[in-house]
Amino acid sequence: VQLVESGGGSVQPGGSLRLSCAASGITFSNYNAAWYRQAPGKEREWVATVTTSSSTTYTNSVKGRFTISRDNAKATVYLQMNSLKPEDTAVYYCTVRRTGVYWGQGTQVTVSS
């Protein structure tokens, strides 16, 4: 199983980024997918989940700003991040879960003026 994230980078406050996570080695449509993040000196935290039926949930701090989505034909999960804040700075990880959990390698997002 391989999860490859992309789309991270540096952006000014108020800007947008779109993260992608391409999965291989699994039947992606059978897995719930999620994004987590870990800021410097902090514990990893859950950000958002999209289920196999495309239901979505978000942590409170990103509601209304972030959108998680999936494309089963491309075996890819996305995280559209708008109105970014400095406190969104972190390494972002994608995961897929069924009976077990698989993690990507992470992609850095830096929000700074």
Side-chain angles (χ1 to χ4, degrees):
V1 178
Q2 189 173 21
L3 301 175
V4 179
E5 296 115 333
S6 61
S10 295
V11 64
Q12 292 187 338
S16 298
L17 285 173
R18 188 195 196 201
L19 305 183
S20 300
C21 174
S24 59
I26 57 172
T27 303
F28 179 72
S29 59
N30 292 341
Y31 285 73
N32 292 334
W35 288 93
Y36 286 74
R37 66 186 179 185
Q38 187 166 20
K42 295 188 177 181
E43 293 187 354
R44 191 171 296 186
E45 68 168 343
W46 167 75
V47 176
T49 294
V50 57
T51 68
T52 55
S53 59
S54 293
S55 296
T56 58
T57 51
Y58 301 89
T59 193
N60 285 339
S61 63
V62 309
K63 283 181 180 177
R65 300 188 299 123
F66 291 10
T67 303
I68 189 171
S69 61
R70 65 190 298 156
D71 184 335
N72 290 335
K74 297 181 178 180
T76 300
V77 58
Y78 303 97
L79 187 68
Q80 177 67 44
M81 305 185 295
N82 298 329
S83 302
L84 282 161
K85 304 176 181 180
E87 51 263 43
D88 295 317
T89 295
V91 178
Y92 283 71
Y93 301 89
C94 71
T95 73
V96 292
R97 177 189 298 267
R98 192 180 182 190
T99 55
V101 181
Y102 300 99
W103 290 80
Q105 82 287 352
T107 186
Q108 177 71 46
V109 171
T110 302
V111 185
S112 174
S113 55

